[in-house]
Amino acid sequence: MIKEIWIPETIIVLFLLLPQLRSFFKALEELPGLNWLPLLALFITAGIFPAYGFRLECIPLLVYAFVCNFILFIRFASHRRRNDGGFSDEDSGYPDPLFKVLSLLFLGLVLLPAYLFAPQKEGIPVSEGVRTIPIRDEKQGRDYFVRIYDSPAEGKHPLILVIPPESGSVPVIDPVCDELRRLGFTVVTYSRKDFDSPAPGRFLRLYLKGAVLVKANAIGRSLETGRLEDLRFLLPRFLQNSEAEGPLFGPDTVTESIFLAGYNAGGAGALYYTSENRGSDSTKPEISGIITIESNFWSLMQGEEHQPEDIPEGSGAMLRFRINLRNRLRSLKSLKISGLAEPPETGKPILLLVSDRAFAAGAEEAGSVYGALFRVFTRSVSGPRLLAAVPGAGPLDYSGIPATKPLYSLLLGGKEKKIWTGEDYPAKTAGLIAGFVSSVLKAEEGTGKIRIDKDGGSWEGLFLESRNSGDLRYILE
């Protein structure tokens, strides 16, 4: 199957290749203007990024095109200094045949990742049966874009709010939401202007040092606080089911209760929101269950605090100076994460969906990015809790990323051999969420227990653990 991005990539390769082949094929020697083709190739390569999003696999091709043009510019400047009028049609612009051969080999190397890791599916947002509604929080000055997926199925539709990951936001979970819609749920997600997709450097620091250093951990805390504030504002509106333009949801959508499925900081925000809204508050919707997807619960990680040395009363100037200097030097020391707080109580069923890295040795210990997650799983006082991981799944895989950006999935993959293909992840992730929600609804109706066993279809082959889940069995394959 021809992939759309291959078309501009092929044009780029031809434009870079033809000037270098001139000395090998006499027919090309008679073609004027070949030395301008690499410049066009550079512009087309740069245009891939605004057209297709940030494509990591195209970076080597962009660098190669830039280097080619830099060499041609140097050659052009050299000709100008000799006053010979710039390039001649016979001049390929490259120093010697050996250089040309090496250049062609490098072209093949940089082209390989661009072709191999082209998106299996284009990241085009689903539009059929989907509505986007802008909502503004006047008090905080925040703009939200709420995206509602109306189910085509007949009957009552449970409502699921999918809180998107901060990196990638709605586009990376759009296929998961669409699959949930097809399974009979009304799905709502949202993006917040100027909050989603923060600087990549902050994410890198968070995931490298967030479980070790207090300053890095503060990045994760701020993201979780932001998602909690989103829920405090949006969920009461969903319960009211009304906007200036009319109802948000159709009459078949059950708005009295809602399931929260949160990616990354959104999962932690969902847990905190549910814990602070236990009880009978008619202005807030009832939360039926929580699904957290690769959530690290940064706010549960406790750090050291600077303990300044007190200055004794009546101290002389020199002593005060020394104590202040010591306190100043202590304040410059990087504080470390020293422990984990107890998780909040929700009493609600929770599905913790994680990378299979969470089942590696030592992952449950303090100092690991999954340490707080295991504290949530093992220490919550009540409520059924399921911990699940798909073998081979990485931190970014429960979304559309494996299909649209397969190189990310490869570089940040799981530890085990993958049992799902890139195109499997949106549909099967939606299947896991739907299976959990259906199980909870049956338990609420008194027609079943929250149970997932080895014969549970899409659950087969997963790493599973449970707490307070009736006859749910522990499976490790």
Side-chain angles (χ1 to χ4, degrees), residues 27-238:
L28 294 177
E29 295 179 358
E30 301 176 0
L31 294 178
L34 285 184
N35 286 319
W36 294 105
L37 293 183
L39 184 60
L40 294 176
L42 179 61
F43 289 144
I44 297 173
T45 308
I48 284 179
F49 295 87
Y52 294 91
F54 184 76
R55 306 301 312 180
L56 184 62
E57 68 275 9
C58 291
I59 293 293
L61 188 60
L62 178 65
V63 173
Y64 181 91
F66 177 82
V67 171
C68 284
N69 280 275
F70 180 76
I71 293 173
L72 289 172
F73 176 79
I74 296 299
R75 298 280 290 175
F76 178 79
S78 176
H79 281 281
R80 293 285 293 180
R81 284 197 298 270
R82 295 200 303 266
N83 296 320
D84 61 4
F87 290 134
S88 66
D89 289 340
E90 291 78 18
D91 187 358
S92 66
Y94 294 92
D96 54 55
L98 177 61
F99 182 91
K100 295 175 186 176
V101 172
L102 293 175
S103 179
L104 293 175
L105 290 176
F106 275 110
L107 178 58
L109 290 176
V110 300
L111 179 63
L112 196 60
Y115 268 66
L116 287 180
F117 298 105
Q120 299 173 12
K121 287 185 177 180
E122 302 299 332
I124 301 173
V126 176
S127 58
E128 183 180 353
V130 179
R131 296 172 287 131
T132 300
I133 300 174
I135 298 178
R136 179 169 177 79
D137 182 354
E138 295 290 351
K139 185 176 180 180
Q140 299 294 335
R142 295 171 178 169
D143 292 305
Y144 295 89
F145 298 92
V146 176
R147 191 166 167 82
I148 301 172
Y149 301 72
D150 296 311
S151 174
E154 297 180 356
K156 291 293 184 180
H157 305 138
L159 180 60
I160 300 179
L161 169 61
V162 181
I163 309 165
E166 301 77 41
S167 180
S169 192
V170 172
V172 303
I173 61 165
D174 183 72
V176 178
C177 295
D178 185 54
E179 291 293 340
L180 285 169
R181 174 181 74 92
R182 296 176 187 276
L183 291 173
F185 299 94
T186 296
V187 185
V188 58
T189 188
Y190 70 92
S191 62
R192 194 219 291 184
K193 186 178 180 182
D194 299 328
F195 182 85
D196 293 7
S197 301
R202 295 185 73 218
F203 273 111
L204 185 62
R205 177 168 172 76
L206 173 61
Y207 286 98
L208 289 179
K209 296 294 184 180
V212 180
L213 298 179
V214 170
K215 280 190 176 180
N217 179 266
I219 300 172
R221 286 174 174 264
S222 66
L223 294 174
E224 293 177 353
T225 300
R227 288 310 190 204
L228 176 58
E229 293 172 351
D230 293 344
L231 295 176
R232 288 171 178 165
F233 172 73
L234 291 173
L235 284 176
R237 287 179 171 270
F238 296 160

Side-chain angles (χ1 to χ4, degrees), residues 298-472:
W298 304 109
S299 298
L300 297 182
M301 301 178 187
Q302 296 181 320
E304 301 171 334
E305 296 182 358
H306 288 300
Q307 298 292 337
E309 183 180 347
D310 294 331
I311 301 177
E313 294 185 8
S315 300
M318 184 58 67
L319 178 59
R320 291 198 301 271
F321 173 78
R322 289 201 302 267
I323 294 176
N324 285 327
L325 179 60
R326 286 198 295 268
N327 287 337
R328 178 61 178 168
L329 293 176
R330 287 194 187 104
S331 69
L332 298 176
K333 180 183 176 182
S334 296
L335 297 177
K336 296 183 178 180
I337 299 297
S338 57
L340 299 172
E342 291 300 314
E345 167 65 15
T346 66
K348 301 296 183 180
I350 303 174
L351 168 62
L352 304 160
L353 190 57
V354 292
S355 161
D356 72 358
R357 297 182 181 195
F359 283 82
E364 72 281 1
E365 298 176 359
S368 164
V369 293
Y370 295 107
L373 177 138
F374 273 94
R375 181 63 62 95
V376 171
F377 177 63
T378 59
R379 297 286 187 90
S380 293
V381 177
S382 63
R385 299 181 303 283
L386 312 176
L387 178 64
V390 177
L396 304 177
D397 283 350
Y398 298 109
S399 65
I401 286 180
T404 59
K405 297 184 177 181
L407 184 56
Y408 287 78
S409 182
L410 176 67
L411 295 177
L412 297 174
K415 300 297 185 181
E416 303 291 329
K417 181 180 179 181
K418 289 184 180 291
I419 64 172
W420 292 356
T421 67
E423 294 184 352
D424 285 340
Y425 275 95
K428 291 193 173 183
T429 298
L432 295 180
I433 296 172
F436 174 77
V437 170
S438 298
S439 179
V440 172
L441 292 175
K442 289 179 181 179
E444 289 180 348
E445 295 169 359
T447 59
K449 296 180 179 180
I450 298 176
R451 176 187 178 188
I452 301 167
D453 56 31
K454 188 172 181 179
D455 299 322
S458 60
W459 296 88
E460 186 174 357
L462 273 61
F463 299 133
L464 290 175
E465 288 193 36
S466 68
R467 294 288 189 277
N468 299 345
S469 301
D471 57 357
L472 173 70

